[in-house]
């Protein structure tokens, strides 16, 4: 039962308040894209044993989407951040690197 | 024979007699008894029958680890099976019954299984009952049904109430023994908020029975003063009869409180399930004694040494006149001494070790007890109860050296720390050679959000079996937990305990160590599931080398045991069979809850009306008062139809449809989703969201739109109205409003976050009433206030205005094929407008209709319904909705997916209308069958029914379905398989899905 702090409203939200949204930072491929590119976007996921960048929605709170960096093995949370970025912010990646964890 | 001793019983209030029944027989016990101790006091050692062989079984333990004494408790709405007699406190009027026997506990026909036990070996489910197939139905299944299953399932609705409670604490301490009290004290003194929970009704755990001196006081006195000290701390909360059930991610814990199980008065909640968030958790859960594996160790009268001690000291119960103690450690000598002190005979202590010279063995010798070292039990004598033991050399193969008459055996194979809660959330274990048990590895603890450990184990549970060590360890654990929660650890000293030095135990996994096959077949590892040493050895020989596989194959440690009694002994036998070390074999996974918790506690308040919040439209009360047959749609309740007194449901539906087609129907459409999409980029956004072009929609006009997922599948539909240059109102399906609003937000927040669009779900802000039928315009004209003529308000237009003094927005849209106006009004004016429509419509026979009428009306017109024609695998192209897919747009959600080869496959089933040749109604969900069979040997299918109704308008059955090449096969008659199992088919003609008013003249007037 995770606790993630919503970066939009600042609430330390219980997992029951949140809805999971799978892997973060996917690039959308639309009409005109190759079969491989579209397959990768629609179906293929990292599913790492380790640090995972993932999407969450504060569904029973402010309703906003955000991103979290979380270890799937230790449950360590390296931070939550805006959903409106295409890659994790440097302070998050620095924290992960400092912890000696690889980022897939 | 067990009986009550004349004196003793530290937990008893002998002045207060308690009456209860067992298998219908009235018995009496004493206040403070458990059900098990009261039964023993009444001479009732036989408490149940084993699962597989129906062997007679007595109580083995005195606590939560009890495998045999599982009872049916209570009756009627308070009946509950599989409750442990050892943890059930006695109260006046308690009703208990033994289970798993037929016809009676004393005489059980199933006991014959015992004689055929060689036909029920490990994995017998998988082997014996595989073949031949007919034998399953006629022989095995009736046999298993009669003999299997422990308790009966309750039949009546639970008469009790349950609740959930929530708490945030700095430190949760699980276990109220001396270690738990010490840890809670250290945490409390450090300023942390502490919750201390204890599963039984008593503080102090085993210490008062086992004896210890703490801070110069006897155990009982120290416990009382520690509890007093803790109760005086405002930051510490103490709860008995509260079990730590499970530990989960990020310091979440489930704690199970039993409030009335020990009382005659059942008023108030029975169980409370606490959902705790703790910054740190200390588990001080103690240890559980292990049985020894010797032949016939399951006879009633063979008990754990610690349990024998508990019954004597706590409950003043004699386990028998003559008790033989068999052990591999010093601790069990305490049992011999306790028995002796109670005036009972201990004919011998059999110690598997070659020497026993510690303080406790010397004390036993001084008390005149015969101590035999290097000895074990070859076999327990007796058929239904212990009559004696045959003694052998532990080192040998079981040659009998001597027989001793006795009526009870107290066994101790050493102790296993209770590591369950540590393990629930990923804490790892190390094997401790000296104690022959698994203990927590603090370097591999469960970790929290900050990456540091959030569970600390304290005392005996941490492998410190001696009181002095356990208390010192628990004090440090309490300090560490408080520190982890952000407090400064107390400087106060730990309580000081003294305990007798104990000599090392010697692991004994089989007694005697060289026992032959005949003895091994009588050595029980898991009493509850009837798993013997020979079963685990057989599993190993058959290649079940993983402990998890062995567990499932043999059923070792399954059901309520969950690794409490049987775990280590079973692992050791498996390791021995594989010639591997125990830590290499590893242990099975410990999963919550620690002991079973009630289904009622899990449900909490969520039952009956509180199961799910109910959404009511502004017209709900009117529907209810007017014969509504409710249909759940999402969290809403919608009228399926309105039944007049004496009217059948299907007649009501037909009446509503006929009245609507002929004159005037009214529908509560308030549940339809209404989402406002506004902003400079609103049109551009809706062009991505819908398959058709929305940005070109003129202000004042409506357009039907389809919404797909990125997978290309149709997910929702509805009418979009353009309110202004930058604002659209999107109607969604009833069940889809929240989902579609979330879908919009997801794309806006996570993909197109730079687009200037704002959405608001206005669904409940408006009541919406569909006014439908040839006389719809007349009734609106009667209300007066706005021009709804064909010229001013043509089909697929909307207008703001007033009707009968209400500010309204009228949409000229139709889901029935009739002249139709959907009138939206502020929610709080909905009922008034509805009443006025009924009034004004009376002369036209205004008829409210329900969802079934709505469905039939739309099906007669061939309109699709999300959830009927779609099921998450259907794309708009399958439904002949190509006209609603814009060819001009470069992109929309789902467009790329619809170009995938499977989506463009001409063999995809397509929507058609279906008419049975004989006019009957096709069965819903029926499949159209083709010729031959597929590669799986199943009949080839070529289509399926998606909607099917009786049409009162056409006086025949009508249906829609998806059929292979359907649109190209108009007029063809195909076969639909009936669903009644007769193998017959329904001859059905493929037709146009629009059954009524194909030209659409009725709606466009």
């Amino acid at each position: 039962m995770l606790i993630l702090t919503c970066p939009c409203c600042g609430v330390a939200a219980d997992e029951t308040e949140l809805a999971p949204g799978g892997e973060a930072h996917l690039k959308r491929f639309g009409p005109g894209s190759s079969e491989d590119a579209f397959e990768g976007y629609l179906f293929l996921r990292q599913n790492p044993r380790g640090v995972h960048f993932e999407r969450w929605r504060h569904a029973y709170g402010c309703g906003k989407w955000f991103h979290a960096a979380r270890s799937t093995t230790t449950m360590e949370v390296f931070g939550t951040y805006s959903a409106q970025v295409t890659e994790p912010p440097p302070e998050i990646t620095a924290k992960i690197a400092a912890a000696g964890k690889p980022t897939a | 024979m067990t009986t009550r001793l004349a004196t003793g019983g530290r937990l008893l209030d002998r002045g207060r007699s308690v009456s209860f029944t067992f298998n219908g027989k009235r018995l009496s016990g004493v206040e403070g008894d458990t059900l098990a101790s009261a039964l023993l006091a009444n001479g009732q050692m036989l408490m149940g029958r084993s699962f597989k062989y129906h062997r007679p079984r007595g109580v083995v333990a005195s606590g939560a680890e009890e495998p045999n004494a599982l009872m049916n408790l209570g009756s009627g709405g308070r009946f509950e099976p599989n409750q442990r007699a050892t943890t059930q406190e006695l109260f006046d009027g308690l009703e208990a019954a033994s289970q798993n026997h037929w016809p009676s506990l004393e005489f059980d026909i199933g006991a014959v299984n015992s004689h055929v036990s060689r036909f029920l070996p490990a994995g017998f489910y998988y082997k014996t009952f595989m073949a031949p197939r007919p034998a399953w139905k006629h022989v095995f299944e009736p046999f298993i049904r009669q003999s299997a299953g422990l308790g009966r399932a309750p039949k009546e609705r639970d008469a009790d109430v349950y609740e959930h409670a929530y708490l945030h604490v700095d430190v949760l301490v699980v276990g109220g023994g001396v270690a738990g009290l010490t840890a809670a004290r250290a945490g409390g003194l450090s300023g942390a908020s502490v919750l201390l929970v204890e599963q039984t009704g008593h503080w102090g755990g085993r210490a008062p029975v086992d004896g210890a001196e703490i801070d110069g006081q006897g155990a009982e006195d120290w416990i009382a003063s520690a509890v007093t000290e803790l109760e005086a701390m405002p930051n510490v909360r103490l709860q008995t009869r509260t079990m730590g059930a499970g530990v989960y991610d990020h310091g979440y814990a489930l704690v199970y409180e039993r409030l009335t199980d020990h009382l005659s008065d059942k008023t108030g909640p029975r169980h409370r399930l606490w959902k705790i968030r703790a910054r740190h958790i200390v588990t001080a859960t103690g240890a559980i004694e292990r049985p020894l594996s010797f032949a016939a160790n399951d006879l009633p009268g063979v008990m754990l040494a610690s349990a024998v001690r508990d019954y004597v000291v706590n409950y003043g119960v004699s386990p028998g006149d003559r008790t033989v103690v068999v052990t591999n450690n010093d601790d069990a000598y305490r049992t011999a001494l306790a028995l002796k002190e109670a005036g009972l005979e201990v004919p011998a202590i059999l110690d598997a070790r070659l020497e026993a010279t510690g303080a406790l063995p010397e004390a036993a010798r001084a008390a005149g007890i015969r101590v035999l070292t290097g000895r074990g039990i070859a076999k327990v004598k007796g058929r239904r109860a212990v009559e004696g033991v045959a003694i052998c050399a532990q080192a040998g193969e079981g040659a009998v050296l001597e027989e001793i008459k006795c009526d009870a055996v107290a066994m101790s194979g050493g102790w296993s720390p209770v590591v369950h809660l540590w393990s629930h959330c990923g804490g790892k274990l190390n094997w401790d050679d000296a104690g022959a048990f698994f203990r927590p590895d603090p370097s591999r603890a469960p970790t929290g959000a900050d990456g540091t450990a959030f569970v600390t184990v304290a005392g005996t549970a941490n492998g410190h079996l001696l009181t002095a060590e356990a208390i010192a360890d628990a004090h440090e654990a309490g300090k560490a937990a408080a520190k982890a929660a952000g407090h400064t650890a107390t400087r106060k000293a730990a309580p000081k305990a003294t305990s007798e030095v104990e000599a090392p135990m010697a692991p004994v996994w089989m007694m005697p160590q060289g026992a032959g096959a005949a003895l091994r077949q009588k050595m029980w590892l898991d009493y509850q599931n009837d798993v013997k040493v020979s079963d685990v050895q057989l599993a190993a020989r058959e290649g079940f080398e993983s402990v998890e596989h062995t567990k499932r194959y043999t059923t070792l440690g399954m059901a309520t045991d969950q690794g409490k009694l049987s775990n280590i002994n079973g692992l050791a036998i498996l390791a021995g069979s594989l010639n591997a070390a125990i830590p290499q074999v590893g242990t099975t996974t410990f999963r919550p809850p620690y002991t079973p918790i009630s289904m009622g506690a899990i449900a909490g308040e969520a039952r009956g009306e509180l199961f799910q919040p109910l959404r009511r439209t502004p017209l709900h009360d009117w529907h209810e008062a007017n014969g509504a047959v409710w249909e759940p749609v999402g969290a809403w309740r919608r009228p399926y139809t309105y039944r007049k007194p004496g009217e059948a449901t299907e007649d009501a539906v037909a009446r509503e449809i006929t009245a609507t087609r002929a004159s005037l129907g009214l529908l509560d459409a308030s549940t339809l989703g209404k989402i406002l999409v506004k902003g400079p980029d609103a049109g551009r956004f809706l062009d991505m969201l819908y398959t058709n072009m929305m940005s070109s929609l003129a202000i004042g006009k409506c357009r039907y739109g389809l919404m797909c997922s990125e997978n290309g599948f149709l997910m929702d539909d509805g009418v979009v109205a353009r309110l202004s240059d930058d604002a659209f109102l999107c109607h969604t399906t009833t069940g889809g409003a929240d989902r579609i609003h979330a879908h919009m937000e997801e794309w806006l927040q996570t993909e197109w976050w730079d687009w200037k669009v704002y959405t608001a779900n206005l669904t409940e802000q408006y009541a919406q009433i569909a006014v439908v039928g040839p006389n719809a315009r007349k009734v609106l004209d009667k209300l007066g206030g706005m021009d709804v003529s064909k010229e001013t308000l043509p089909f697929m237009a909307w207008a703001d205005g007033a009707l009968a003094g209400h500010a309204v927005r009228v949409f000229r849209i139709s889901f029935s094929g009739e002249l139709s106006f959907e009138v939206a009004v502020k929610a709080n004016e909905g009922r008034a407008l509805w009443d006025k429509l009924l009034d004004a419509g009376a002369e036209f026979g205004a008829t409210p209709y329900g969802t079934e009428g709505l469905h039939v009306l739309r099906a007669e017109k061939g309109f699709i319904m999300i959830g009927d024609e779609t099921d998450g695998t259907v794309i708009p192209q399958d439904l002949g909705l190509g006209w609603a897919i814009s060819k001009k747009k470069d992109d929309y959600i789902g467009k790329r997916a619809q170009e995938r080869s499977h989506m463009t496959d001409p063999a995809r089933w397509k929507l058609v209308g279906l008419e049975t040749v004989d006019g009957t109604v096709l069965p819903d969900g029926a499949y159209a069958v083709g010729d031959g069979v597929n590669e799986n040997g199943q009949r080839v299918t070529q289509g399926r029914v998606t909607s099917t109704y009786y049409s009162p308008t056409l006086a025949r059955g009508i249906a829609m379905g998806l059929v292979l090449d359907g649109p190209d096969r108009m007029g063809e008659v195909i076969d639909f398989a009936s669903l009644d199992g007769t193998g017959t088919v329904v001859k059905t003609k493929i037709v146009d899905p629009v059954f009524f008013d194909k030209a659409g003249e009725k709606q466009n007037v």
Side-chain angles (χ1 to χ4, degrees), chain B residues 173-248:
Chain B
V173 181
V174 180
V178 292
L181 291 166
T182 302
R185 178 179 170 273
L189 288 173
S190 307
S193 64
V194 177
L195 171 65
L196 171 64
V197 298
E198 160 57 34
Q199 63 181 349
T200 72
H202 307 282
W203 296 107
R206 297 206 52 82
V209 174
D210 293 353
E213 196 182 283
I214 309 171
D215 285 343
Q217 293 174 294
E220 209 152 352
D221 291 338
W222 183 84
I223 290 160
S225 60
V227 169
T228 307
E229 186 185 359
L230 288 169
E231 280 172 343
M233 293 186 195
N235 52 328
V236 176
R237 178 181 178 133
L238 298 95
Q239 285 191 194
T240 54
R241 299 188 180 93
T242 304
M243 179 202 45
V247 171
Y248 306 84

Side-chain angles (χ1 to χ4, degrees), chain B residues 664 779 782 836-846:
Chain B
L664 181 61
V779 74
K782 262 184 85 181
K836 287 174 188 173
L837 281 163
L838 282 172
D839 250 12
E843 66 172 288
F844 309 110

